[in-house]
PDB file of all heavy atoms in Angstrom:
ATOM      1  N   GLY A  64      97.502  63.010 155.373  1.00 85.00           N
ATOM      2  CA  GLY A  64      98.453  62.439 156.317  1.00 85.00           C
ATOM      3  C   GLY A  64      99.194  61.219 155.814  1.00 85.00           C
ATOM      4  O   GLY A  64     100.124  60.745 156.467  1.00 85.00           O
ATOM      5  N   PHE A  65      98.794  60.690 154.644  1.00 87.00           N
ATOM      6  CA  PHE A  65      99.454  59.514 154.077  1.00 87.00           C
ATOM      7  C   PHE A  65     100.342  59.938 152.915  1.00 87.00           C
ATOM      8  O   PHE A  65      99.982  60.814 152.127  1.00 87.00           O
ATOM      9  CB  PHE A  65      98.423  58.489 153.594  1.00 87.00           C
ATOM     10  CG  PHE A  65      97.608  57.885 154.702  1.00 87.00           C
ATOM     11  CD1 PHE A  65      96.375  58.425 155.052  1.00 87.00           C
ATOM     12  CD2 PHE A  65      98.081  56.790 155.405  1.00 87.00           C
ATOM     13  CE1 PHE A  65      95.625  57.876 156.079  1.00 87.00           C
ATOM     14  CE2 PHE A  65      97.338  56.233 156.434  1.00 87.00           C
ATOM     15  CZ  PHE A  65      96.106  56.775 156.779  1.00 87.00           C
ATOM     16  N   GLN A  66     101.488  59.288 152.794  1.00 85.00           N
ATOM     17  CA  GLN A  66     102.456  59.645 151.760  1.00 85.00           C
ATOM     18  C   GLN A  66     102.494  58.575 150.672  1.00 85.00           C
ATOM     19  O   GLN A  66     102.554  57.380 150.965  1.00 85.00           O
ATOM     20  CB  GLN A  66     103.843  59.792 152.384  1.00 85.00           C
ATOM     21  CG  GLN A  66     104.902  60.303 151.426  1.00 85.00           C
ATOM     22  CD  GLN A  66     106.158  60.710 152.160  1.00 85.00           C
ATOM     23  OE1 GLN A  66     106.231  61.781 152.757  1.00 85.00           O
ATOM     24  NE2 GLN A  66     107.155  59.854 152.129  1.00 85.00           N
ATOM     25  N   PHE A  67     102.446  59.010 149.414  1.00 83.00           N
ATOM     26  CA  PHE A  67     102.469  58.111 148.271  1.00 83.00           C
ATOM     27  C   PHE A  67     103.585  58.530 147.321  1.00 83.00           C
ATOM     28  O   PHE A  67     103.821  59.722 147.123  1.00 83.00           O
ATOM     29  CB  PHE A  67     101.139  58.163 147.503  1.00 83.00           C
ATOM     30  CG  PHE A  67      99.929  57.830 148.326  1.00 83.00           C
ATOM     31  CD1 PHE A  67      99.260  58.819 149.034  1.00 83.00           C
ATOM     32  CD2 PHE A  67      99.468  56.530 148.398  1.00 83.00           C
ATOM     33  CE1 PHE A  67      98.144  58.523 149.792  1.00 83.00           C
ATOM     34  CE2 PHE A  67      98.351  56.224 149.157  1.00 83.00           C
ATOM     35  CZ  PHE A  67      97.686  57.220 149.856  1.00 83.00           C
ATOM     36  N   ASP A  68     104.260  57.548 146.721  1.00 81.00           N
ATOM     37  CA  ASP A  68     105.235  57.806 145.668  1.00 81.00           C
ATOM     38  C   ASP A  68     104.631  57.371 144.340  1.00 81.00           C
ATOM     39  O   ASP A  68     104.319  56.190 144.147  1.00 81.00           O
ATOM     40  CB  ASP A  68     106.538  57.044 145.921  1.00 81.00           C
ATOM     41  CG  ASP A  68     107.348  57.665 147.044  1.00 81.00           C
ATOM     42  OD1 ASP A  68     107.015  58.793 147.454  1.00 81.00           O
ATOM     43  OD2 ASP A  68     108.303  57.028 147.513  1.00 81.00           O
ATOM     44  N   LEU A  69     104.454  58.313 143.428  1.00 81.00           N
ATOM     45  CA  LEU A  69     103.804  58.050 142.149  1.00 81.00           C
ATOM     46  C   LEU A  69     104.822  58.174 141.024  1.00 81.00           C
ATOM     47  O   LEU A  69     105.397  59.244 140.819  1.00 81.00           O
ATOM     48  CB  LEU A  69     102.664  59.053 141.917  1.00 81.00           C
ATOM     49  CG  LEU A  69     101.655  59.230 143.058  1.00 81.00           C
ATOM     50  CD1 LEU A  69     100.689  60.363 142.738  1.00 81.00           C
ATOM     51  CD2 LEU A  69     100.891  57.933 143.299  1.00 81.00           C
ATOM     52  N   SER A  70     105.072  57.087 140.299  1.00 81.00           N
ATOM     53  CA  SER A  70     105.935  57.173 139.121  1.00 81.00           C
ATOM     54  C   SER A  70     105.106  57.699 137.953  1.00 81.00           C
ATOM     55  O   SER A  70     103.890  57.504 137.898  1.00 81.00           O
ATOM     56  CB  SER A  70     106.532  55.806 138.781  1.00 81.00           C
ATOM     57  OG  SER A  70     105.520  54.855 138.567  1.00 81.00           O
ATOM     58  N   PHE A  71     105.756  58.386 137.021  1.00 79.00           N
ATOM     59  CA  PHE A  71     104.990  58.967 135.922  1.00 79.00           C
ATOM     60  C   PHE A  71     105.786  58.932 134.625  1.00 79.00           C
ATOM     61  O   PHE A  71     107.011  58.824 134.617  1.00 79.00           O
ATOM     62  CB  PHE A  71     104.559  60.401 136.249  1.00 79.00           C
ATOM     63  CG  PHE A  71     105.691  61.394 136.315  1.00 79.00           C
ATOM     64  CD1 PHE A  71     106.079  62.114 135.196  1.00 79.00           C
ATOM     65  CD2 PHE A  71     106.364  61.613 137.502  1.00 79.00           C
ATOM     66  CE1 PHE A  71     107.117  63.024 135.256  1.00 79.00           C
ATOM     67  CE2 PHE A  71     107.409  62.526 137.578  1.00 79.00           C
ATOM     68  CZ  PHE A  71     107.786  63.231 136.450  1.00 79.00           C
ATOM     69  N   ALA A  72     105.050  59.015 133.524  1.00 84.00           N
ATOM     70  CA  ALA A  72     105.648  59.083 132.195  1.00 84.00           C
ATOM     71  C   ALA A  72     104.737  59.927 131.318  1.00 84.00           C
ATOM     72  O   ALA A  72     103.526  59.996 131.547  1.00 84.00           O
ATOM     73  CB  ALA A  72     105.809  57.689 131.598  1.00 84.00           C
ATOM     74  N   THR A  73     105.312  60.575 130.334  1.00 83.00           N
ATOM     75  CA  THR A  73     104.527  61.386 129.406  1.00 83.00           C
ATOM     76  C   THR A  73     104.385  60.627 128.092  1.00 83.00           C
ATOM     77  O   THR A  73     105.383  60.206 127.503  1.00 83.00           O
ATOM     78  CB  THR A  73     105.205  62.743 129.152  1.00 83.00           C
ATOM     79  OG1 THR A  73     106.544  62.531 128.697  1.00 83.00           O
ATOM     80  CG2 THR A  73     105.244  63.567 130.428  1.00 83.00           C
ATOM     81  N   LEU A  74     103.141  60.459 127.650  1.00 87.00           N
ATOM     82  CA  LEU A  74     102.858  59.744 126.409  1.00 87.00           C
ATOM     83  C   LEU A  74     102.101  60.653 125.450  1.00 87.00           C
ATOM     84  O   LEU A  74     101.458  61.625 125.864  1.00 87.00           O
ATOM     85  CB  LEU A  74     102.017  58.499 126.692  1.00 87.00           C
ATOM     86  CG  LEU A  74     102.668  57.394 127.521  1.00 87.00           C
ATOM     87  CD1 LEU A  74     101.639  56.319 127.845  1.00 87.00           C
ATOM     88  CD2 LEU A  74     103.857  56.792 126.793  1.00 87.00           C
ATOM     89  N   GLU A  75     102.166  60.313 124.179  1.00 87.00           N
ATOM     90  CA  GLU A  75     101.423  61.074 123.183  1.00 87.00           C
ATOM     91  C   GLU A  75      99.923  60.840 123.360  1.00 87.00           C
ATOM     92  O   GLU A  75      99.480  59.807 123.865  1.00 87.00           O
ATOM     93  CB  GLU A  75     101.856  60.656 121.777  1.00 87.00           C
ATOM     94  CG  GLU A  75     103.296  61.019 121.453  1.00 87.00           C
ATOM     95  CD  GLU A  75     103.698  60.596 120.055  1.00 87.00           C
ATOM     96  OE1 GLU A  75     102.864  59.938 119.393  1.00 87.00           O
ATOM     97  OE2 GLU A  75     104.823  60.915 119.637  1.00 87.00           O
ATOM     98  N   GLU A  76      99.151  61.813 122.911  1.00 87.00           N
ATOM     99  CA  GLU A  76      97.701  61.761 123.091  1.00 87.00           C
ATOM    100  C   GLU A  76      97.095  60.508 122.461  1.00 87.00           C
ATOM    101  O   GLU A  76      96.200  59.881 123.031  1.00 87.00           O
ATOM    102  CB  GLU A  76      97.059  63.012 122.485  1.00 87.00           C
ATOM    103  CG  GLU A  76      95.555  63.085 122.700  1.00 87.00           C
ATOM    104  CD  GLU A  76      94.954  64.356 122.142  1.00 87.00           C
ATOM    105  OE1 GLU A  76      95.718  65.183 121.597  1.00 87.00           O
ATOM    106  OE2 GLU A  76      93.723  64.525 122.235  1.00 87.00           O
ATOM    107  N   GLU A  77      97.605  60.120 121.304  1.00 90.00           N
ATOM    108  CA  GLU A  77      97.078  58.932 120.624  1.00 90.00           C
ATOM    109  C   GLU A  77      97.240  57.686 121.490  1.00 90.00           C
ATOM    110  O   GLU A  77      96.318  56.866 121.609  1.00 90.00           O
ATOM    111  CB  GLU A  77      97.798  58.738 119.289  1.00 90.00           C
ATOM    112  CG  GLU A  77      97.322  57.522 118.501  1.00 90.00           C
ATOM    113  CD  GLU A  77      98.120  57.305 117.225  1.00 90.00           C
ATOM    114  OE1 GLU A  77      98.945  58.175 116.876  1.00 90.00           O
ATOM    115  OE2 GLU A  77      97.924  56.253 116.584  1.00 90.00           O
ATOM    116  N   SER A  78      98.415  57.540 122.100  1.00 90.00           N
ATOM    117  CA  SER A  78      98.664  56.378 122.962  1.00 90.00           C
ATOM    118  C   SER A  78      97.775  56.409 124.194  1.00 90.00           C
ATOM    119  O   SER A  78      97.225  55.382 124.611  1.00 90.00           O
ATOM    120  CB  SER A  78     100.138  56.346 123.379  1.00 90.00           C
ATOM    121  OG  SER A  78     100.982  56.141 122.270  1.00 90.00           O
ATOM    122  N   LEU A  79      97.636  57.588 124.795  1.00 88.00           N
ATOM    123  CA  LEU A  79      96.794  57.711 125.989  1.00 88.00           C
ATOM    124  C   LEU A  79      95.341  57.373 125.676  1.00 88.00           C
ATOM    125  O   LEU A  79      94.675  56.666 126.442  1.00 88.00           O
ATOM    126  CB  LEU A  79      96.895  59.130 126.550  1.00 88.00           C
ATOM    127  CG  LEU A  79      98.199  59.479 127.268  1.00 88.00           C
ATOM    128  CD1 LEU A  79      98.248  60.966 127.578  1.00 88.00           C
ATOM    129  CD2 LEU A  79      98.339  58.673 128.551  1.00 88.00           C
ATOM    130  N   ASN A  80      94.851  57.876 124.554  1.00 90.00           N
ATOM    131  CA  ASN A  80      93.460  57.601 124.181  1.00 90.00           C
ATOM    132  C   ASN A  80      93.225  56.107 123.978  1.00 90.00           C
ATOM    133  O   ASN A  80      92.171  55.576 124.347  1.00 90.00           O
ATOM    134  CB  ASN A  80      93.096  58.362 122.902  1.00 90.00           C
ATOM    135  CG  ASN A  80      92.980  59.858 123.134  1.00 90.00           C
ATOM    136  OD1 ASN A  80      92.785  60.301 124.268  1.00 90.00           O
ATOM    137  ND2 ASN A  80      93.115  60.645 122.078  1.00 90.00           N
ATOM    138  N   LYS A  81      94.205  55.437 123.400  1.00 91.00           N
ATOM    139  CA  LYS A  81      94.056  53.998 123.160  1.00 91.00           C
ATOM    140  C   LYS A  81      94.127  53.211 124.464  1.00 91.00           C
ATOM    141  O   LYS A  81      93.383  52.244 124.661  1.00 91.00           O
ATOM    142  CB  LYS A  81      95.141  53.521 122.197  1.00 91.00           C
ATOM    143  CG  LYS A  81      94.935  52.091 121.714  1.00 91.00           C
ATOM    144  CD  LYS A  81      95.858  51.751 120.565  1.00 91.00           C
ATOM    145  CE  LYS A  81      95.552  50.347 120.026  1.00 91.00           C
ATOM    146  NZ  LYS A  81      96.404  50.005 118.863  1.00 91.00           N
ATOM    147  N   LEU A  82      95.007  53.639 125.375  1.00 92.00           N
ATOM    148  CA  LEU A  82      95.169  52.917 126.637  1.00 92.00           C
ATOM    149  C   LEU A  82      93.964  53.076 127.556  1.00 92.00           C
ATOM    150  O   LEU A  82      93.650  52.173 128.334  1.00 92.00           O
ATOM    151  CB  LEU A  82      96.429  53.407 127.362  1.00 92.00           C
ATOM    152  CG  LEU A  82      97.770  52.920 126.818  1.00 92.00           C
ATOM    153  CD1 LEU A  82      98.912  53.651 127.499  1.00 92.00           C
ATOM    154  CD2 LEU A  82      97.922  51.412 127.011  1.00 92.00           C
ATOM    155  N   PHE A  83      93.308  54.228 127.482  1.00 89.00           N
ATOM    156  CA  PHE A  83      92.224  54.508 128.422  1.00 89.00           C
ATOM    157  C   PHE A  83      90.888  54.718 127.712  1.00 89.00           C
ATOM    158  O   PHE A  83      90.018  55.427 128.199  1.00 89.00           O
ATOM    159  CB  PHE A  83      92.583  55.735 129.271  1.00 89.00           C
ATOM    160  CG  PHE A  83      93.816  55.532 130.099  1.00 89.00           C
ATOM    161  CD1 PHE A  83      95.027  56.080 129.703  1.00 89.00           C
ATOM    162  CD2 PHE A  83      93.782  54.765 131.246  1.00 89.00           C
ATOM    163  CE1 PHE A  83      96.179  55.883 130.451  1.00 89.00           C
ATOM    164  CE2 PHE A  83      94.925  54.559 132.002  1.00 89.00           C
ATOM    165  CZ  PHE A  83      96.125  55.118 131.609  1.00 89.00           C
ATOM    166  N   LYS A  84      90.737  54.055 126.576  1.00 90.00           N
ATOM    167  CA  LYS A  84      89.495  54.158 125.819  1.00 90.00           C
ATOM    168  C   LYS A  84      88.327  53.598 126.613  1.00 90.00           C
ATOM    169  O   LYS A  84      87.233  54.165 126.649  1.00 90.00           O
ATOM    170  CB  LYS A  84      89.640  53.416 124.490  1.00 90.00           C
ATOM    171  CG  LYS A  84      88.422  53.501 123.589  1.00 90.00           C
ATOM    172  CD  LYS A  84      88.677  52.767 122.277  1.00 90.00           C
ATOM    173  CE  LYS A  84      87.460  52.842 121.364  1.00 90.00           C
ATOM    174  NZ  LYS A  84      87.697  52.123 120.082  1.00 90.00           N
ATOM    175  N   ASP A  85      88.531  52.450 127.252  1.00 89.00           N
ATOM    176  CA  ASP A  85      87.514  51.860 128.115  1.00 89.00           C
ATOM    177  C   ASP A  85      88.220  51.058 129.198  1.00 89.00           C
ATOM    178  O   ASP A  85      89.456  51.031 129.265  1.00 89.00           O
ATOM    179  CB  ASP A  85      86.534  50.980 127.319  1.00 89.00           C
ATOM    180  CG  ASP A  85      87.247  49.892 126.514  1.00 89.00           C
ATOM    181  OD1 ASP A  85      88.029  49.122 127.115  1.00 89.00           O
ATOM    182  OD2 ASP A  85      87.025  49.813 125.291  1.00 89.00           O
ATOM    183  N   GLU A  86      87.455  50.385 130.046  1.00 86.00           N
ATOM    184  CA  GLU A  86      88.043  49.719 131.211  1.00 86.00           C
ATOM    185  C   GLU A  86      88.931  48.539 130.844  1.00 86.00           C
ATOM    186  O   GLU A  86      89.732  48.078 131.668  1.00 86.00           O
ATOM    187  CB  GLU A  86      86.933  49.244 132.150  1.00 86.00           C
ATOM    188  CG  GLU A  86      85.990  48.223 131.536  1.00 86.00           C
ATOM    189  CD  GLU A  86      84.889  47.805 132.492  1.00 86.00           C
ATOM    190  OE1 GLU A  86      84.738  48.452 133.540  1.00 86.00           O
ATOM    191  OE2 GLU A  86      84.188  46.829 132.182  1.00 86.00           O
TER     192      GLU A  86
END
Side-chain angles (χ1 to χ4, degrees):
F65 294 94
Q66 186 168 282
F67 302 88
D68 286 348
L69 310 174
S70 57
F71 68 92
T73 55
L74 295 173
E75 294 180 355
E76 183 178 359
E77 180 184 352
S78 295
L79 286 171
N80 289 339
K81 189 169 185 178
L82 284 171
F83 298 102
K84 182 178 180 180
D85 55 54
E86 62 181 11

